[in-house]
Amino acid sequence: MERVLGIGGYFVRAADPVALNAWYRDCLGLDADEHGLWQQQPGATVFAAFEAETDYFGSRNQAVMLNFRVRDLDAMLAQLRSRGAEVADEVQEMAGVGRFGWVTDPAGNRIELWQPA
C-alpha cells in the first residue's frame, strides 16, 4: 500500500493573501519564500479527527485547525500579544505531550501552538 510521506502544504482562503502571509511571517516567524515554500524543523506531526460538534477549533465554521510546534510557548504568546494578535487567555498542559496555547489569525482562523514535552 502506498502511504503519504508528510504534509506537503496547508492552504487558506484570505480576503487579502499578501497581508495574511505578512502576518504569519511577522507574528509567527514563518519565513516562506515567494512561492510559499517553508523549510520547517523536523519533529512530530499529529493527525487527529475530532467530533463534528467540537468547540476545540473555536468557531464551528472552521473545519480544520493548524497546529504549529514552538520552542517556548510563553515567549511566543507574549510576542503575539505585543503585536496585537487575538491570543486566548488559557494555556493547557497534557502530561507527557506538552503545553498548548491558541491565537486567531487576522482571517479568523484559530491556530494551536504546541510546545512539545
Side-chain angles (χ1 to χ4, degrees), residues 56-95:
Y56 195 72
F57 298 178
S59 168
R60 293 254 175 109
N61 294 328
Q62 185 172 329
V64 297
M65 183 170 59
L66 181 58
N67 171 299
F68 286 117
R69 290 184 312 269
V70 299
R71 182 183 57 79
D72 183 332
L73 180 63
D74 294 327
M76 177 60 80
L77 295 176
Q79 173 178 296
L80 288 163
R81 285 186 181 103
S82 75
R83 296 175 188 269
E86 183 183 328
V87 178
D89 291 331
E90 65 183 298
V91 171
Q92 188 178 83
E93 187 160 349
M94 291 179 66

Side-chain angles (χ1 to χ4, degrees), residues 19-75:
L20 190 59
N21 283 331
W23 184 87
Y24 277 84
R25 180 191 63 238
D26 298 342
C27 291
L28 295 176
L30 200 153
D31 56 351
D33 70 11
E34 68 274 8
H35 304 291
L37 186 60
W38 168 51
Q39 296 295 328
Q40 61 181 307
Q41 294 182 6
T45 299
V46 175
F47 179 86
F50 283 71
E51 293 289 335
E53 302 300 315
T54 188
D55 292 324
Y56 195 72
F57 298 178
S59 168
R60 293 254 175 109
N61 294 328
Q62 185 172 329
V64 297
M65 183 170 59
L66 181 58
N67 171 299
F68 286 117
R69 290 184 312 269
V70 299
R71 182 183 57 79
D72 183 332
L73 180 63
D74 294 327

